[in-house]
Amino acid sequence: MSEFFGINPSDAGLGALLTLVVLLILTGRLVPRRTHEDALSDRDTWRTAFLESEAARKVEHEQVEELLEMAKLGGHILAALPRPGQAGEEEVNADARMDPTPHARQ
């Protein structure tokens, strides 16, 4: 039989084996089956939650990329528009209207 901590279990008495088991439990090297099963189910729950979160993050990342492309396009369109006050054009002010005729009240 193999040795544990330099002691052959067949030579040790019942008290020594009980002490060894208690020490293994207290140090966390020997855990009850229920505790082990709970730890495994928690691990699986967290793994599932992580995978769902990563899938949602991937979808969000793809949507952000599409929105950035649209924003870049909008920026290019705005940059291409003529700017008032350049090249001898008249400046647009707040009083300017599209329809120069005064509106009559009814």
Side-chain angles (χ1 to χ4, degrees):
M1 213 173 196
S2 63
E3 294 183 357
F4 294 106
F5 302 113
I7 299 172
N8 192 351
S10 61
D11 294 340
L14 182 60
L17 289 177
L18 182 62
T19 303
L20 178 64
V21 169
V22 169
L23 284 174
L24 288 174
I25 290 173
L26 291 176
T27 59
R29 293 188 177 146
L30 184 63
V31 294
R33 169 179 264 159
R34 181 74 181 147
T35 304
H36 179 67
E37 289 172 353
D38 288 345
L40 290 179
S41 69
D42 283 348
R43 179 199 65 186
D44 293 339
T45 302
W46 281 106
R47 180 178 291 159
T48 303
F50 171 74
L51 292 175
E52 289 175 4
S53 172
E54 284 300 303
R57 188 192 61 77
K58 183 179 178 185
V59 169
E60 180 183 5
H61 181 70
E62 291 170 357
Q63 290 176 349
V64 167
E65 283 182 356
E66 289 177 20
L67 290 173
L68 280 174
E69 287 300 319
M70 284 193 252
K72 287 179 184 177
L73 176 64
H76 289 303
I77 290 172
L78 287 175
L81 289 176
R83 296 187 180 130
Q86 290 181 349
E89 297 175 5
E90 68 180 62
E91 189 172 326
V92 177
N93 57 23
D95 294 332
R97 295 184 176 176
M98 292 186 71
D99 186 12
T101 59
H103 295 285
R105 291 192 163 183
Q106 296 177 357

